[in-house]
Amino acid sequence: AFSSLRLRASYGITGNSGIGLNEYQALLSYSADYSNNGGAIPSQFGNPDLTWEKGEAYDVGMSFGLFENRLSGSFSYYHRRTYDLLQSVPLSLTTGFNFQSRNVGEMINKGIEAE
């Protein structure tokens, strides 16, 4: 009855490096002037725990043909998980900075496709 039967599967991990240059580091600026003496002030708060966003996905499916391919179709299931999402999080004003980039959140997409 089957003219063709094809099984498929895939798995992968990706990353998003949408982090600004040296955003993980606390930086100093040497532009301060204290009574004609040089001084340093914090110019970037930094976050040593900051990493790339990560995503993993897998997909399993089947394509088929019946009765000399007069009837054909496919089914697949997919699951995508994105985690360590990058977001600018507000900070207390006592730090002297408004925001800090952090890895927060997770998102899952999953479903079935049929043809």
Side-chain angles (χ1 to χ4, degrees):
F2 281 98
S3 306
S4 64
L5 181 62
R6 192 175 311 152
L7 300 175
R8 65 181 182 279
S10 65
Y11 175 77
I13 297 177
T14 59
N16 173 11
S17 64
I19 303 171
L21 184 62
N22 296 326
E23 202 164 330
Y24 66 95
Q25 289 182 317
L27 300 177
L28 296 175
S29 175
Y30 295 97
S31 59
D33 180 22
Y34 298 103
S35 298
N36 293 325
N37 292 311
I41 57 172
S43 61
Q44 184 171 296
F45 194 68
N47 180 357
D49 299 323
L50 194 61
T51 64
W52 288 19
E53 282 184 355
K54 298 169 196 78
E56 63 181 358
Y58 66 86
D59 181 359
V60 291
M62 173 181 75
S63 298
F64 61 90
L66 297 169
F67 313 115
E68 296 181 17
N69 287 329
R70 289 186 184 132
L71 177 63
S72 62
S74 66
F75 295 100
S76 62
Y77 172 77
Y78 65 92
H79 186 276
R80 267 184 228 114
R81 176 178 167 243
T82 306
Y83 57 101
D84 287 342
L85 294 170
L86 293 168
Q87 186 171 358
S88 210
V89 176
L91 293 174
S92 168
L93 295 178
T94 59
T95 64
F97 297 92
N98 295 328
F99 297 97
Q100 178 188 45
S101 290
R102 291 188 185 168
N103 296 103
V104 294
E106 178 176 333
M107 182 174 62
I108 295 177
N109 297 323
K110 58 185 172 180
I112 297 172
E113 294 179 349
E115 177 184 339

